[in-house]
PDB file of all heavy atoms in Angstrom:
ATOM      1  N   VAL N  20     -40.432 -46.970 -68.405  1.00  0.00           N
ATOM      2  CA  VAL N  20     -41.487 -45.980 -68.254  1.00  0.00           C
ATOM      3  C   VAL N  20     -40.805 -44.627 -68.110  1.00  0.00           C
ATOM      4  O   VAL N  20     -40.095 -44.381 -67.134  1.00  0.00           O
ATOM      5  CB  VAL N  20     -42.374 -46.272 -67.028  1.00  0.00           C
ATOM      6  CG1 VAL N  20     -43.400 -45.162 -66.834  1.00  0.00           C
ATOM      7  CG2 VAL N  20     -43.054 -47.621 -67.164  1.00  0.00           C
ATOM      8  N   VAL N  21     -40.992 -43.765 -69.098  1.00  0.00           N
ATOM      9  CA  VAL N  21     -40.356 -42.442 -69.114  1.00  0.00           C
ATOM     10  C   VAL N  21     -41.393 -41.418 -68.673  1.00  0.00           C
ATOM     11  O   VAL N  21     -42.368 -41.157 -69.381  1.00  0.00           O
ATOM     12  CB  VAL N  21     -39.827 -42.082 -70.515  1.00  0.00           C
ATOM     13  CG1 VAL N  21     -39.156 -40.710 -70.486  1.00  0.00           C
ATOM     14  CG2 VAL N  21     -38.854 -43.141 -71.012  1.00  0.00           C
ATOM     15  N   ALA N  22     -41.208 -40.846 -67.493  1.00  0.00           N
ATOM     16  CA  ALA N  22     -42.181 -39.897 -66.934  1.00  0.00           C
ATOM     17  C   ALA N  22     -41.619 -38.481 -66.997  1.00  0.00           C
ATOM     18  O   ALA N  22     -40.580 -38.185 -66.395  1.00  0.00           O
ATOM     19  CB  ALA N  22     -42.515 -40.267 -65.489  1.00  0.00           C
ATOM     20  N   VAL N  23     -42.288 -37.617 -67.743  1.00  0.00           N
ATOM     21  CA  VAL N  23     -41.886 -36.216 -67.881  1.00  0.00           C
ATOM     22  C   VAL N  23     -43.136 -35.355 -67.941  1.00  0.00           C
ATOM     23  O   VAL N  23     -44.242 -35.857 -68.127  1.00  0.00           O
ATOM     24  CB  VAL N  23     -41.045 -35.974 -69.161  1.00  0.00           C
ATOM     25  CG1 VAL N  23     -39.714 -36.694 -69.089  1.00  0.00           C
ATOM     26  CG2 VAL N  23     -41.804 -36.388 -70.403  1.00  0.00           C
ATOM     27  N   TYR N  24     -42.965 -34.038 -67.793  1.00  0.00           N
ATOM     28  CA  TYR N  24     -44.080 -33.133 -68.039  1.00  0.00           C
ATOM     29  C   TYR N  24     -44.396 -33.138 -69.535  1.00  0.00           C
ATOM     30  O   TYR N  24     -43.505 -33.266 -70.381  1.00  0.00           O
ATOM     31  CB  TYR N  24     -43.732 -31.713 -67.619  1.00  0.00           C
ATOM     32  CG  TYR N  24     -43.737 -31.452 -66.129  1.00  0.00           C
ATOM     33  CD1 TYR N  24     -43.919 -32.476 -65.204  1.00  0.00           C
ATOM     34  CD2 TYR N  24     -43.546 -30.163 -65.644  1.00  0.00           C
ATOM     35  CE1 TYR N  24     -43.911 -32.219 -63.846  1.00  0.00           C
ATOM     36  CE2 TYR N  24     -43.540 -29.889 -64.288  1.00  0.00           C
ATOM     37  CZ  TYR N  24     -43.719 -30.925 -63.392  1.00  0.00           C
ATOM     38  OH  TYR N  24     -43.718 -30.668 -62.049  1.00  0.00           O
ATOM     39  N   SER N  25     -45.657 -32.933 -69.859  1.00  0.00           N
ATOM     40  CA  SER N  25     -46.073 -32.921 -71.263  1.00  0.00           C
ATOM     41  C   SER N  25     -45.264 -31.917 -72.076  1.00  0.00           C
ATOM     42  O   SER N  25     -44.796 -32.220 -73.179  1.00  0.00           O
ATOM     43  CB  SER N  25     -47.569 -32.580 -71.359  1.00  0.00           C
ATOM     44  OG  SER N  25     -47.937 -32.301 -72.682  1.00  0.00           O
ATOM     45  N   THR N  26     -45.076 -30.714 -71.538  1.00  0.00           N
ATOM     46  CA  THR N  26     -44.383 -29.676 -72.292  1.00  0.00           C
ATOM     47  C   THR N  26     -42.944 -30.051 -72.609  1.00  0.00           C
ATOM     48  O   THR N  26     -42.368 -29.598 -73.592  1.00  0.00           O
ATOM     49  CB  THR N  26     -44.419 -28.330 -71.536  1.00  0.00           C
ATOM     50  OG1 THR N  26     -43.829 -27.316 -72.335  1.00  0.00           O
ATOM     51  CG2 THR N  26     -43.682 -28.415 -70.208  1.00  0.00           C
ATOM     52  N   PHE N  27     -42.329 -30.906 -71.766  1.00  0.00           N
ATOM     53  CA  PHE N  27     -40.934 -31.266 -71.977  1.00  0.00           C
ATOM     54  C   PHE N  27     -40.755 -32.399 -72.982  1.00  0.00           C
ATOM     55  O   PHE N  27     -39.633 -32.639 -73.436  1.00  0.00           O
ATOM     56  CB  PHE N  27     -40.268 -31.612 -70.648  1.00  0.00           C
ATOM     57  CG  PHE N  27     -40.201 -30.452 -69.695  1.00  0.00           C
ATOM     58  CD1 PHE N  27     -40.500 -30.614 -68.355  1.00  0.00           C
ATOM     59  CD2 PHE N  27     -39.863 -29.183 -70.144  1.00  0.00           C
ATOM     60  CE1 PHE N  27     -40.452 -29.537 -67.473  1.00  0.00           C
ATOM     61  CE2 PHE N  27     -39.811 -28.107 -69.281  1.00  0.00           C
ATOM     62  CZ  PHE N  27     -40.104 -28.280 -67.941  1.00  0.00           C
ATOM     63  N   LEU N  28     -41.835 -33.088 -73.331  1.00  0.00           N
ATOM     64  CA  LEU N  28     -41.715 -34.090 -74.383  1.00  0.00           C
ATOM     65  C   LEU N  28     -41.382 -33.418 -75.708  1.00  0.00           C
ATOM     66  O   LEU N  28     -40.759 -34.031 -76.583  1.00  0.00           O
ATOM     67  CB  LEU N  28     -43.005 -34.902 -74.519  1.00  0.00           C
ATOM     68  CG  LEU N  28     -42.960 -36.006 -75.584  1.00  0.00           C
ATOM     69  CD1 LEU N  28     -42.006 -37.121 -75.160  1.00  0.00           C
ATOM     70  CD2 LEU N  28     -44.345 -36.571 -75.852  1.00  0.00           C
ATOM     71  N   ASN N  29     -41.790 -32.149 -75.859  1.00  0.00           N
ATOM     72  CA  ASN N  29     -41.480 -31.406 -77.087  1.00  0.00           C
ATOM     73  C   ASN N  29     -39.991 -31.469 -77.403  1.00  0.00           C
ATOM     74  O   ASN N  29     -39.588 -31.512 -78.565  1.00  0.00           O
ATOM     75  CB  ASN N  29     -41.876 -29.932 -76.942  1.00  0.00           C
ATOM     76  CG  ASN N  29     -43.346 -29.739 -76.634  1.00  0.00           C
ATOM     77  OD1 ASN N  29     -44.124 -30.671 -76.685  1.00  0.00           O
ATOM     78  ND2 ASN N  29     -43.724 -28.519 -76.302  1.00  0.00           N
ATOM     79  N   ARG N  30     -39.173 -31.462 -76.354  1.00  0.00           N
ATOM     80  CA  ARG N  30     -37.722 -31.405 -76.532  1.00  0.00           C
ATOM     81  C   ARG N  30     -37.150 -32.718 -77.064  1.00  0.00           C
ATOM     82  O   ARG N  30     -36.012 -32.757 -77.520  1.00  0.00           O
ATOM     83  CB  ARG N  30     -37.069 -31.063 -75.193  1.00  0.00           C
ATOM     84  CG  ARG N  30     -37.505 -29.720 -74.622  1.00  0.00           C
ATOM     85  CD  ARG N  30     -37.298 -29.647 -73.116  1.00  0.00           C
ATOM     86  NE  ARG N  30     -35.916 -29.721 -72.746  1.00  0.00           N
ATOM     87  CZ  ARG N  30     -35.176 -28.671 -72.367  1.00  0.00           C
ATOM     88  NH1 ARG N  30     -35.709 -27.463 -72.351  1.00  0.00           N
ATOM     89  NH2 ARG N  30     -33.926 -28.811 -72.014  1.00  0.00           N
ATOM     90  N   ALA N  31     -37.920 -33.786 -76.980  1.00  0.00           N
ATOM     91  CA  ALA N  31     -37.414 -35.103 -77.389  1.00  0.00           C
ATOM     92  C   ALA N  31     -38.235 -35.693 -78.531  1.00  0.00           C
ATOM     93  O   ALA N  31     -38.288 -36.910 -78.697  1.00  0.00           O
ATOM     94  CB  ALA N  31     -37.421 -36.053 -76.196  1.00  0.00           C
ATOM     95  N   PHE N  32     -38.864 -34.821 -79.327  1.00  0.00           N
ATOM     96  CA  PHE N  32     -39.745 -35.345 -80.371  1.00  0.00           C
ATOM     97  C   PHE N  32     -38.988 -36.182 -81.402  1.00  0.00           C
ATOM     98  O   PHE N  32     -39.448 -37.249 -81.818  1.00  0.00           O
ATOM     99  CB  PHE N  32     -40.474 -34.201 -81.083  1.00  0.00           C
ATOM    100  CG  PHE N  32     -41.368 -34.689 -82.190  1.00  0.00           C
ATOM    101  CD1 PHE N  32     -42.598 -35.263 -81.901  1.00  0.00           C
ATOM    102  CD2 PHE N  32     -40.969 -34.622 -83.516  1.00  0.00           C
ATOM    103  CE1 PHE N  32     -43.419 -35.739 -82.902  1.00  0.00           C
ATOM    104  CE2 PHE N  32     -41.785 -35.088 -84.536  1.00  0.00           C
ATOM    105  CZ  PHE N  32     -43.016 -35.655 -84.222  1.00  0.00           C
ATOM    106  N   ASP N  33     -37.828 -35.735 -81.827  1.00  0.00           N
ATOM    107  CA  ASP N  33     -37.071 -36.493 -82.829  1.00  0.00           C
ATOM    108  C   ASP N  33     -36.714 -37.875 -82.305  1.00  0.00           C
ATOM    109  O   ASP N  33     -36.779 -38.876 -83.040  1.00  0.00           O
ATOM    110  CB  ASP N  33     -35.799 -35.733 -83.212  1.00  0.00           C
ATOM    111  CG  ASP N  33     -35.000 -36.449 -84.286  1.00  0.00           C
ATOM    112  OD1 ASP N  33     -35.491 -36.519 -85.428  1.00  0.00           O
ATOM    113  OD2 ASP N  33     -33.904 -36.954 -83.990  1.00  0.00           O
ATOM    114  N   GLN N  34     -36.348 -37.949 -81.027  1.00  0.00           N
ATOM    115  CA  GLN N  34     -35.992 -39.243 -80.443  1.00  0.00           C
ATOM    116  C   GLN N  34     -37.209 -40.147 -80.317  1.00  0.00           C
ATOM    117  O   GLN N  34     -37.128 -41.358 -80.556  1.00  0.00           O
ATOM    118  CB  GLN N  34     -35.336 -39.031 -79.080  1.00  0.00           C
ATOM    119  CG  GLN N  34     -33.930 -38.441 -79.147  1.00  0.00           C
ATOM    120  CD  GLN N  34     -33.898 -37.005 -79.619  1.00  0.00           C
ATOM    121  OE1 GLN N  34     -34.834 -36.226 -79.359  1.00  0.00           O
ATOM    122  NE2 GLN N  34     -32.840 -36.621 -80.299  1.00  0.00           N
ATOM    123  N   LEU N  35     -38.353 -39.557 -79.937  1.00  0.00           N
ATOM    124  CA  LEU N  35     -39.597 -40.322 -79.891  1.00  0.00           C
ATOM    125  C   LEU N  35     -39.926 -40.889 -81.267  1.00  0.00           C
ATOM    126  O   LEU N  35     -40.295 -42.061 -81.412  1.00  0.00           O
ATOM    127  CB  LEU N  35     -40.739 -39.433 -79.393  1.00  0.00           C
ATOM    128  CG  LEU N  35     -42.166 -39.983 -79.544  1.00  0.00           C
ATOM    129  CD1 LEU N  35     -42.355 -41.229 -78.692  1.00  0.00           C
ATOM    130  CD2 LEU N  35     -43.194 -38.914 -79.174  1.00  0.00           C
ATOM    131  N   LEU N  36     -39.777 -40.043 -82.284  1.00  0.00           N
ATOM    132  CA  LEU N  36     -40.155 -40.437 -83.639  1.00  0.00           C
ATOM    133  C   LEU N  36     -39.212 -41.485 -84.228  1.00  0.00           C
ATOM    134  O   LEU N  36     -39.655 -42.544 -84.687  1.00  0.00           O
ATOM    135  CB  LEU N  36     -40.183 -39.190 -84.531  1.00  0.00           C
ATOM    136  CG  LEU N  36     -40.549 -39.394 -86.003  1.00  0.00           C
ATOM    137  CD1 LEU N  36     -42.003 -39.835 -86.142  1.00  0.00           C
ATOM    138  CD2 LEU N  36     -40.304 -38.106 -86.794  1.00  0.00           C
ATOM    139  N   LEU N  37     -37.909 -41.198 -84.208  1.00  0.00           N
ATOM    140  CA  LEU N  37     -36.976 -42.009 -84.981  1.00  0.00           C
ATOM    141  C   LEU N  37     -36.185 -43.030 -84.166  1.00  0.00           C
ATOM    142  O   LEU N  37     -35.728 -44.036 -84.716  1.00  0.00           O
ATOM    143  CB  LEU N  37     -36.006 -41.101 -85.741  1.00  0.00           C
ATOM    144  CG  LEU N  37     -36.674 -40.191 -86.778  1.00  0.00           C
ATOM    145  CD1 LEU N  37     -35.652 -39.321 -87.481  1.00  0.00           C
ATOM    146  CD2 LEU N  37     -37.455 -41.017 -87.798  1.00  0.00           C
ATOM    147  N   ASP N  38     -35.999 -42.796 -82.877  1.00  0.00           N
ATOM    148  CA  ASP N  38     -35.291 -43.780 -82.068  1.00  0.00           C
ATOM    149  C   ASP N  38     -36.241 -44.773 -81.405  1.00  0.00           C
ATOM    150  O   ASP N  38     -35.914 -45.952 -81.267  1.00  0.00           O
ATOM    151  CB  ASP N  38     -34.445 -43.082 -81.000  1.00  0.00           C
ATOM    152  CG  ASP N  38     -33.265 -42.331 -81.600  1.00  0.00           C
ATOM    153  OD1 ASP N  38     -32.766 -42.782 -82.645  1.00  0.00           O
ATOM    154  OD2 ASP N  38     -32.857 -41.308 -81.038  1.00  0.00           O
ATOM    155  N   VAL N  39     -37.412 -44.272 -80.996  1.00  0.00           N
ATOM    156  CA  VAL N  39     -38.353 -45.142 -80.296  1.00  0.00           C
ATOM    157  C   VAL N  39     -39.389 -45.730 -81.257  1.00  0.00           C
ATOM    158  O   VAL N  39     -39.484 -46.952 -81.424  1.00  0.00           O
ATOM    159  CB  VAL N  39     -39.051 -44.392 -79.139  1.00  0.00           C
ATOM    160  CG1 VAL N  39     -40.025 -45.315 -78.414  1.00  0.00           C
ATOM    161  CG2 VAL N  39     -38.017 -43.845 -78.155  1.00  0.00           C
ATOM    162  N   ALA N  40     -40.160 -44.870 -81.918  1.00  0.00           N
ATOM    163  CA  ALA N  40     -41.264 -45.360 -82.750  1.00  0.00           C
ATOM    164  C   ALA N  40     -40.778 -46.119 -83.981  1.00  0.00           C
ATOM    165  O   ALA N  40     -41.310 -47.179 -84.326  1.00  0.00           O
ATOM    166  CB  ALA N  40     -42.161 -44.196 -83.171  1.00  0.00           C
ATOM    167  N   LEU N  41     -39.768 -45.587 -84.664  1.00  0.00           N
ATOM    168  CA  LEU N  41     -39.257 -46.275 -85.854  1.00  0.00           C
ATOM    169  C   LEU N  41     -38.788 -47.685 -85.523  1.00  0.00           C
ATOM    170  O   LEU N  41     -38.965 -48.617 -86.307  1.00  0.00           O
ATOM    171  CB  LEU N  41     -38.105 -45.464 -86.467  1.00  0.00           C
ATOM    172  CG  LEU N  41     -37.371 -46.100 -87.649  1.00  0.00           C
ATOM    173  CD1 LEU N  41     -38.307 -46.268 -88.844  1.00  0.00           C
ATOM    174  CD2 LEU N  41     -36.157 -45.269 -88.041  1.00  0.00           C
ATOM    175  N   HIS N  42     -38.223 -47.845 -84.344  1.00  0.00           N
ATOM    176  CA  HIS N  42     -37.706 -49.146 -83.937  1.00  0.00           C
ATOM    177  C   HIS N  42     -38.736 -49.984 -83.184  1.00  0.00           C
ATOM    178  O   HIS N  42     -38.404 -51.049 -82.654  1.00  0.00           O
ATOM    179  CB  HIS N  42     -36.456 -48.953 -83.070  1.00  0.00           C
ATOM    180  CG  HIS N  42     -35.298 -48.368 -83.816  1.00  0.00           C
ATOM    181  ND1 HIS N  42     -35.137 -47.005 -84.004  1.00  0.00           N
ATOM    182  CD2 HIS N  42     -34.265 -48.955 -84.454  1.00  0.00           C
ATOM    183  CE1 HIS N  42     -34.041 -46.788 -84.712  1.00  0.00           C
ATOM    184  NE2 HIS N  42     -33.499 -47.946 -85.006  1.00  0.00           N
ATOM    185  N   LYS N  43     -39.964 -49.469 -83.115  1.00  0.00           N
ATOM    186  CA  LYS N  43     -41.055 -50.185 -82.449  1.00  0.00           C
ATOM    187  C   LYS N  43     -40.647 -50.651 -81.053  1.00  0.00           C
ATOM    188  O   LYS N  43     -40.903 -51.782 -80.642  1.00  0.00           O
ATOM    189  CB  LYS N  43     -41.518 -51.373 -83.296  1.00  0.00           C
ATOM    190  CG  LYS N  43     -42.073 -50.962 -84.654  1.00  0.00           C
ATOM    191  CD  LYS N  43     -42.558 -52.164 -85.453  1.00  0.00           C
ATOM    192  CE  LYS N  43     -43.120 -51.723 -86.807  1.00  0.00           C
ATOM    193  NZ  LYS N  43     -43.569 -52.873 -87.628  1.00  0.00           N
ATOM    194  N   ALA N  44     -40.013 -49.722 -80.346  1.00  0.00           N
ATOM    195  CA  ALA N  44     -39.518 -50.037 -79.006  1.00  0.00           C
ATOM    196  C   ALA N  44     -40.656 -50.043 -77.995  1.00  0.00           C
ATOM    197  O   ALA N  44     -41.498 -49.143 -77.988  1.00  0.00           O
ATOM    198  CB  ALA N  44     -38.461 -49.018 -78.591  1.00  0.00           C
ATOM    199  N   GLY N  45     -40.662 -51.012 -77.127  1.00  0.00           N
ATOM    200  CA  GLY N  45     -41.675 -51.107 -76.084  1.00  0.00           C
ATOM    201  C   GLY N  45     -41.360 -50.175 -74.933  1.00  0.00           C
ATOM    202  O   GLY N  45     -40.909 -50.600 -73.861  1.00  0.00           O
ATOM    203  N   VAL N  46     -41.591 -48.895 -75.157  1.00  0.00           N
ATOM    204  CA  VAL N  46     -41.348 -47.854 -74.160  1.00  0.00           C
ATOM    205  C   VAL N  46     -42.671 -47.166 -73.864  1.00  0.00           C
ATOM    206  O   VAL N  46     -43.429 -46.853 -74.789  1.00  0.00           O
ATOM    207  CB  VAL N  46     -40.337 -46.808 -74.671  1.00  0.00           C
ATOM    208  CG1 VAL N  46     -40.161 -45.678 -73.657  1.00  0.00           C
ATOM    209  CG2 VAL N  46     -38.999 -47.461 -74.988  1.00  0.00           C
ATOM    210  N   THR N  47     -42.958 -46.926 -72.595  1.00  0.00           N
ATOM    211  CA  THR N  47     -44.170 -46.199 -72.207  1.00  0.00           C
ATOM    212  C   THR N  47     -43.798 -44.815 -71.695  1.00  0.00           C
ATOM    213  O   THR N  47     -43.023 -44.685 -70.739  1.00  0.00           O
ATOM    214  CB  THR N  47     -44.952 -46.962 -71.124  1.00  0.00           C
ATOM    215  OG1 THR N  47     -45.395 -48.212 -71.650  1.00  0.00           O
ATOM    216  CG2 THR N  47     -46.160 -46.157 -70.661  1.00  0.00           C
ATOM    217  N   PHE N  48     -44.338 -43.795 -72.341  1.00  0.00           N
ATOM    218  CA  PHE N  48     -44.160 -42.413 -71.893  1.00  0.00           C
ATOM    219  C   PHE N  48     -45.372 -42.017 -71.049  1.00  0.00           C
ATOM    220  O   PHE N  48     -46.512 -42.268 -71.444  1.00  0.00           O
ATOM    221  CB  PHE N  48     -44.033 -41.465 -73.082  1.00  0.00           C
ATOM    222  CG  PHE N  48     -42.772 -41.653 -73.881  1.00  0.00           C
ATOM    223  CD1 PHE N  48     -42.708 -42.602 -74.890  1.00  0.00           C
ATOM    224  CD2 PHE N  48     -41.648 -40.894 -73.605  1.00  0.00           C
ATOM    225  CE1 PHE N  48     -41.546 -42.788 -75.625  1.00  0.00           C
ATOM    226  CE2 PHE N  48     -40.477 -41.073 -74.336  1.00  0.00           C
ATOM    227  CZ  PHE N  48     -40.426 -42.027 -75.341  1.00  0.00           C
ATOM    228  N   VAL N  49     -45.124 -41.398 -69.915  1.00  0.00           N
ATOM    229  CA  VAL N  49     -46.199 -40.901 -69.057  1.00  0.00           C
ATOM    230  C   VAL N  49     -46.045 -39.391 -68.955  1.00  0.00           C
ATOM    231  O   VAL N  49     -45.035 -38.886 -68.450  1.00  0.00           O
ATOM    232  CB  VAL N  49     -46.155 -41.547 -67.660  1.00  0.00           C
ATOM    233  CG1 VAL N  49     -47.225 -40.940 -66.759  1.00  0.00           C
ATOM    234  CG2 VAL N  49     -46.358 -43.061 -67.775  1.00  0.00           C
TER     235      VAL N  49
END
């Protein structure tokens, strides 16, 4: 469970897209 402020997720968009989502990783962002 990765908990961050909404505005700070902007900084990790590439990782969300290609490291997490592409690999269908079971990660929950809050």
Side-chain angles (χ1 to χ4, degrees):
V20 176
V21 181
V23 294
Y24 285 6
S25 168
T26 184
F27 296 137
L28 181 69
N29 301 351
R30 300 158 65 103
F32 179 77
D33 182 68
Q34 289 69 32
L35 168 64
L36 180 67
L37 297 180
D38 291 329
V39 180
L41 175 64
H42 294 84
K43 298 182 180 178
V46 176
T47 297
F48 292 86
V49 176

